Amino acid sequence: MTDVTINHLDQGARGEYHARVEGAEDIGRLTYLRQGDVLVADHTLVPPSIGGRGVAGKLVEALVADARKFGWKIEPQCSYVAAAFKRHPDWADLRA
């Protein structure tokens, strides 16, 4: 399995989760807009060079873990995040 490291860049009103894959230069990103205690997940991008390794899923899992930890809700505007919420009914309590 490929080693993926996720970092959270909190920039106040906006933020990003970055995924780095061992041995690759490209990074995956999940971006959001903060509105109070709601994170509006607006975009997930994984370059083809690191695709097919579960990177997008790991980005969403990091977002969900932080939402649970900090008491945030998530509004999934990004189609990938919305699809992930449909696959995980156990995340329903986090949906804004």
Side-chain angles (χ1 to χ4, degrees):
M1 184 162 169
T2 304
D3 210 8
V4 177
T5 303
I6 306 291
N7 293 308
H8 181 203
L9 287 81
D10 186 349
Q11 302 164 333
R14 292 207 59 84
E16 296 188 13
Y17 287 85
H18 289 182
R20 296 197 177 274
V21 175
E22 184 178 358
E25 289 187 32
D26 290 332
I27 63 171
R29 290 184 169 90
L30 186 157
T31 62
Y32 65 84
L33 173 65
R34 183 187 311 264
Q35 296 177 337
D37 68 346
V38 175
L39 303 183
V40 180
D42 56 6
H43 191 67
T44 304
L45 173 67
V46 176
S49 61
I50 60 172
R53 304 175 201 198
V55 172
K58 290 182 188 304
L59 286 164
V60 178
E61 288 169 4
L63 173 71
V64 166
D66 281 352
R68 287 211 186 283
K69 180 178 178 181
F70 297 110
W72 299 330
K73 296 289 186 180
I74 299 168
E75 182 180 326
Q77 285 187 354
C78 165
S79 61
Y80 185 86
V81 177
F85 265 79
K86 285 182 182 175
R87 288 191 305 272
H88 292 274
D90 53 311
W91 295 351
D93 62 311
L94 298 176
R95 192 169 187 139

